[in-house]
Amino acid sequence: MIYWNDQNTLKILRSILNDQKVILTSGDTVLGLWGNISSTVFERMNTIKDRHDKPYLMVIGSIDKLPLFIDQPLGEQLETLVQTCWPGPVTLIFKARADLPSWMKSSDGTIALRVPDHLGLLELLRDFDGLFSTSANRHGQPIPESVALVDRLILEQVGAVCVERGQLVYPQNPSTILNCSTGSIEVVRAGVFHVDMLRELLG
């Protein structure tokens, strides 16, 4: 176990991620699994999660990274959304760039992205275009509220566990997911960020 505020933590996590291994850490929502964006890590996360039916959402360090992944103009409404909700617990689904590999996007050509509101993750993301992100549970299992409740098979397959020092319990409510790829904004999953706040923001 390592902790976000320790001196060498970011160096350790960068090394593990660059070795194409998965890490388990706290963040701004649920305990999560994070990995470098590569086909090797994609398959590794599939094995850890015991799922093979859909792509993973990705976290990026800033709005400036969006052109690396999406192929649609933001427009005034989406610009307002990303400027207001990022960094934060809101995942947005966009039309993916056509040249991205299939394991980075869904079968309908979309990609899910967010900027996390967590200083450690944002600092880590300075050295990566983005990271795969998913909750630290196996397919069909509940999201754990503590490291002690994480499935043993997951703990055995990650390169490091990094949490907040002194914090034992973590949220079980994931990010809110909005589909922005169709010309309108649709709620795919209600999460931490309340939909009523989004309605007020966007009208």
Side-chain angles (χ1 to χ4, degrees):
M1 185 92 70
I2 57 177
Y3 301 96
W4 278 114
N5 59 348
D6 287 351
Q7 184 175 0
N8 293 320
T9 291
L10 289 174
K11 181 179 180 181
I12 293 169
L13 295 179
R14 287 189 192 102
S15 177
I16 292 170
L17 291 170
N18 282 320
D19 284 342
Q20 307 301 306
K21 296 177 182 178
V22 175
I23 59 175
L24 190 162
T25 82
S26 58
D28 59 334
T29 57
V30 302
L31 288 172
L33 301 173
W34 317 82
N36 209 343
I37 299 175
S38 71
S39 59
T40 297
V41 173
F42 176 74
E43 293 300 333
R44 182 161 286 160
M45 292 184 88
N46 283 342
T47 299
I48 293 173
K49 293 276 291 186
D50 189 27
R51 90 174 201 194
H52 305 274
D53 58 338
K54 56 184 177 180
Y56 295 99
L57 72 87
M58 298 177 210
V59 290
I60 54 177
S62 70
I63 296 170
D64 295 340
K65 297 286 187 179
L66 278 176
L68 298 175
F69 301 100
I70 74 170
D71 184 23
Q72 73 177 80
L74 289 186
E76 184 178 349
Q77 192 176 45
L78 279 183
E79 183 72 31
T80 298
L81 189 61
V82 297
Q83 293 289 350
T84 305
C85 297
W86 285 356
V90 178
T91 298
L92 304 180
I93 298 174
F94 298 98
K95 292 179 182 177
R97 284 178 45 156
D99 57 350
L100 294 181
S102 60
W103 43 265
M104 284 180 65
K105 54 190 178 183
S106 66
S107 58
D108 63 356
T110 59
I111 191 167
L113 300 164
R114 81 179 183 96
V115 178
D117 187 15
H118 185 275
L119 292 178
L121 286 172
L122 289 173
E123 186 66 29
L124 191 62
L125 282 162
R126 289 177 182 270
D127 292 331
F128 300 91
D129 288 337
L131 295 173
F132 285 131
S133 171
T134 186
S135 54
N137 60 312
R138 288 169 66 80
H139 181 68
Q141 291 185 348
I143 296 173
E145 65 176 3
S146 68
V147 174
L149 294 177
V150 175
D151 191 297
R152 176 181 55 83
L153 293 176
I154 291 179
L155 293 175
E156 290 174 351
Q157 295 179 82
V158 297
V161 176
C162 177
V163 293
E164 319 295 333
R165 187 181 296 278
Q167 184 173 343
L168 299 179
V169 178
Y170 294 90
Q172 292 180 284
N173 204 8
S175 66
T176 298
I177 300 180
L178 305 176
N179 185 0
C180 306
S181 67
T182 62
S184 61
I185 298 176
E186 304 167 355
V187 178
V188 176
R189 180 179 74 190
V192 175
F193 202 99
H194 293 293
V195 175
D196 287 344
M197 295 174 65
L198 293 169
R199 291 195 182 102
E200 183 178 343
L201 174 66
L202 302 172

